[in-house]
Amino acid sequence: MAHRVGIIGGDGIGPEVTAVAVDVVRAAGVALDTVDYDLGGRRYLATGEVLPDETLEQLREYDAILLGAVGTPEVPPGVLERGLLLKMRFALDLYVNLRPFKSPGNRFNDGVDFLVVRENTEGTYAGEGGFLRKDTRNEIATQGSVNTRMGVERCVRYAFDLARSRDRKHCTLVHKTNVLTFAGDLWQRTFDEVASDYSDVQTAYNHVDAACIYFVQDPGRYDVIVTDNLFGDILTDLGGAISGGIGRAASANLNPARTGPSLFEPVHGSAPDIAGTGRADPRAAVISAAMMCDFLGETGAADRIRKAVEQTDDKEGTTAQIGAAICGAL
Ligand code: IPM
Ligand code: MN
């Protein structure tokens, strides 16, 4: 049976890298039944629509969603981020944003192999807050951080399950408990309580600022990291930078409870400056598609795709040439 996948190529290089990712998955022997959705900056500029409710309802019916990148320079910041990406994360309850970082040694380090489990539906992203007396000299803006015990615990449990499945069995909480004494306290207590159910998993705690130093100076210490939404956003860009660049950074927005589809997307943006030139590196999209295969139970294909990406790591060329090299190495 073919897996039903909704494709949102999006803007800029998004459709180019997504097309390669779909080709690679099919070449790995996984049958996909795909439907393309025209969403993103282009659609917004043409029709004023970001994510119509009926489209969201259709997307709910897929086994998975594969997204390229959204954003065009003409669209004001926030419109597509809040209206499309975050709306899907919240509405589809994609509560784990899983971001793997794996690379051989480079000029920064001797090699890394860790994953960040980023909480994906709460924190400062929840949209709590607002303006008072906007556009006056006395205006006030607040932007709260929402942390529910349920939301934190399901994410932390996911991280411990993941750590348990790996050789090193190590899980680090990253937060800022010394300053964010309410949210941090809830996270730390939840982490400690969950840890007591996983006596085979070793634990550590780092403040997020210290974690930035370790990412650069000693990333080998990490196996699985669990952290809140905004810390995870920032830290995973740094993770990309120390492990082969943003052209390799993949992500899975997961609904582990499987009450709906999960969404897979490269971390990079739409890169309008190189769109249409054939110079986009499709690897981040391909690795994201491998994560989709994993989640759909196609673990053999997922492993083959990851191995093929590793084997063709030094291949340079156009988007299509890199895609062909990966397919050739499967
Ligand atoms: C990411 C992106 C998004 C985020 C933006 C585009 C809303 O930076 O996926 O990391 O902040 O989560
Ligand atoms: Mn980000």
Side-chain angles (χ1 to χ4, degrees), residues 70 80-82 85-86 89 97 99 118 120 125 229-230 232-234 236-237 251 253 265-267:
V70 294
L80 298 171
E81 290 85 344
R82 282 237 161 253
L85 276 178
L86 299 185
R89 288 179 187 173
N97 194 325
R99 297 186 163 177
R118 164 185 174 189
N120 212 30
Y125 278 66
N229 208 337
L230 183 59
D233 175 48
I234 299 166
T236 53
D237 268 23
S251 81
N253 295 264
E265 56 167 338
V267 176

Side-chain angles (χ1 to χ4, degrees), residues 84-253:
L84 182 57
L85 276 178
L86 299 185
K87 188 168 169 183
M88 286 193 291
R89 288 179 187 173
F90 293 129
L92 300 176
D93 206 19
L94 307 175
Y95 60 87
V96 162
N97 194 325
L98 182 64
R99 297 186 163 177
F101 300 97
K102 188 169 185 193
S103 73
N106 55 32
R107 69 193 153 110
F108 299 114
N109 54 59
D110 302 329
V112 303
D113 183 6
F114 66 88
L115 297 111
V116 175
V117 175
R118 164 185 174 189
E119 201 293 318
N120 212 30
T121 57
E122 300 192 343
T124 44
Y125 278 66
E128 190 214 60
F131 291 105
L132 201 59
R133 301 190 288 268
K134 191 173 180 200
D135 290 328
T136 74
R137 289 180 57 81
N138 296 320
E139 78 173 303
I140 298 170
T142 62
Q143 191 101 47
S145 172
V146 177
N147 300 264
T148 71
R149 170 70 199 217
M150 178 279 294
V152 172
E153 181 167 343
R154 63 185 181 174
C155 179
V156 168
R157 281 200 183 275
Y158 182 90
F160 272 91
D161 281 332
L162 182 63
R164 176 173 270 176
S165 75
R166 290 169 56 86
D167 291 342
R168 286 180 55 199
K169 304 193 192 320
H170 189 276
C171 188
T172 305
L173 171 65
V174 171
H175 208 281
K176 185 76 185 175
T177 54
N178 53 345
V179 173
L180 305 184
T181 48
F182 310 130
D185 191 69
L186 187 150
W187 271 84
Q188 182 79 69
R189 274 185 289 114
T190 306
F191 183 84
D192 292 344
E193 269 181 51
V194 171
S196 68
D197 290 342
Y198 293 79
S199 54
D200 51 332
V201 176
Q202 295 209 310
T203 63
Y205 170 80
N206 292 156
H207 291 320
V208 63
D209 44 353
C212 290
I213 299 177
Y214 297 139
F215 263 50
V216 175
Q217 295 189 345
D218 180 26
R221 69 172 56 214
Y222 293 121
D223 182 23
V224 174
I225 291 173
V226 61
T227 191
D228 96 333
N229 208 337
L230 183 59
F231 295 145
D233 175 48
I234 299 166
L235 217 43
T236 53
D237 268 23
L238 184 55
I242 57 147
S243 63
I246 203 74
R248 301 281 196 286
S251 81
N253 295 264

